[in-house]
Amino acid sequence: MGDTIDVRLTADEFRYVISCGSALLLNIPEGSLPTYTHFSKAQIIDFSARMREQFDQAGYDM
């Protein structure tokens, strides 16, 4: 894992970040993902899963 940055988000902002990762996978061809996001499909799935886990641990519903 690279450098980390601590960021404060509201629950709605956090929900948005998680939802956008999933939406990218549905709407952008896999080969184009790195162009738009600098993340591969596998990286987006991993990031979204980790963020979803954090959201669930905080007690929020998606």
Side-chain angles (χ1 to χ4, degrees), residues 34-55:
T35 301
Y36 286 94
T37 67
H38 299 280
F39 274 58
S40 68
K41 179 179 179 180
Q43 289 171 310
I44 292 170
I45 290 169
D46 179 60
F47 174 78
S48 295
R50 287 187 297 116
M51 293 303 98
R52 177 65 186 260
E53 182 180 335
Q54 292 291 314
F55 201 72

Side-chain angles (χ1 to χ4, degrees), residues 2 15 21 31 33 39:
R15 189 178 288 110
L33 288 169
F39 274 58

Side-chain angles (χ1 to χ4, degrees), residues 1 3 7 10-11 13 15 18 22 26-28 32-33 37 46-52 57-58 60:
M1 189 183 292
D3 295 338
V7 177
T10 67
E13 290 167 336
R15 189 178 288 110
I18 296 167
S22 300
L26 296 173
N27 295 311
I28 297 176
S32 297
L33 288 169
T37 67
D46 179 60
F47 174 78
S48 295
R50 287 187 297 116
M51 293 303 98
R52 177 65 186 260
Q57 287 176 1
Y60 296 108

